[in-house]
């Protein structure tokens, strides 16, 4: 099962990269919104930074997270725990967190497009306040998985 540990390690690395990007992107949005008027030279720089962060780090990391995550689910269901583990409270909590993080990822991607068009869909304050949502989701998910809620 050494390859199982490799899969887990790759999954964790992908999650770290995905989370890093989703924590940094709202911070860029906050700075962009408050310091770079649409059409300015600084606005153009922010657009490039935001697009590259999403395209080069966040999107590939999410895809890798899902690939390694589904591989782990398959191994756990078929060889280790049986498919019933998908209905355990800790796994349902993790799945709920995955749904939330995926939706947040989509929201950030849409916001990036709006900002790139010169729109400002949210204030800098909003981006700062919501910046930590992925961390809260990650804390709940990691504790759910590592403790299995005492199971």
């Amino acid at each position: 099962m050494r390859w199982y540990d490799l899969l887990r390690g790759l999954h964790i690395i992908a999650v770290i990269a995905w989370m890093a990007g989703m924590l940094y992107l709202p911070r860029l949005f906050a700075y962009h919104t408050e310091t770079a008027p649409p059409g300015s030279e600084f606005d153009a720089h922010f657009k490039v930074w935001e697009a590259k962060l999403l395209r080069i780090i966040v999107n590939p990391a999410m895809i890798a997270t899902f690939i390694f995550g589904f591989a782990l689910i398959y191994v756990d269901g078929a060889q280790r725990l049986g498919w019933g583990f998908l209905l355990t409270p800790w796994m349902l909590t993790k799945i709920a967190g995955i749904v939330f993080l995926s939706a947040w990822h989509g929201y950030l991607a849409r916001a990036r497009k709006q900002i790139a068009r010169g729109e400002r869909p949210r204030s800098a304050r909003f981006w700062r306040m919501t910046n930590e949502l992925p961390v809260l989701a990650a804390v709940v998910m990691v504790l759910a998985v590592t403790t299995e809620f005492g199971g």
Side-chain angles (χ1 to χ4, degrees):
M1 288 298 249
R2 293 183 68 114
W3 55 271
Y4 183 80
D5 290 334
L6 177 64
L7 272 179
R8 276 195 311 187
L10 292 171
H11 178 66
I12 291 168
I13 291 166
V15 169
I16 290 169
W18 188 27
M19 292 294 295
M22 289 206 305
L23 292 172
Y24 190 48
L25 195 54
R27 186 58 62 174
L28 280 177
F29 292 165
Y31 297 147
H32 191 165
T33 299
E34 70 186 4
T35 64
S40 69
E41 184 178 336
F42 211 33
D43 178 54
H45 289 295
F46 271 110
K47 288 177 185 178
V48 170
W49 297 333
E50 292 158 355
K52 283 186 175 182
L53 178 61
L54 200 62
R55 187 180 72 247
I56 296 171
I57 296 172
V58 181
N59 290 342
M62 181 193 70
I63 292 166
T65 297
F66 274 84
I67 289 170
F68 296 126
F70 283 130
L72 288 168
I73 287 171
Y74 176 77
V75 172
D76 283 339
Q79 298 176 11
R80 292 175 26 103
L81 306 173
W83 293 105
F85 88 99
L86 290 170
L87 299 176
T88 60
W90 66 268
M91 190 62 183
L92 292 172
T93 301
K94 183 173 181 179
I95 291 168
I98 293 164
V99 169
F100 168 75
L101 289 174
S102 299
W104 183 244
H105 179 131
Y107 181 80
L108 294 176
R110 283 188 302 279
R112 190 209 59 83
K113 289 179 184 177
Q114 289 175 309
I115 293 170
R117 289 192 303 261
E119 302 169 22
R120 298 296 187 258
R122 300 289 182 179
S123 68
R125 184 171 188 256
F126 170 85
W127 293 119
R128 283 190 180 89
M129 289 177 61
T130 60
N131 188 55
E132 303 307 322
L133 290 175
V135 172
L136 296 175
V139 167
V140 170
M141 293 165 67
V142 168
L143 291 177
V145 171
T146 58
T147 67
E148 294 184 4
F149 294 133

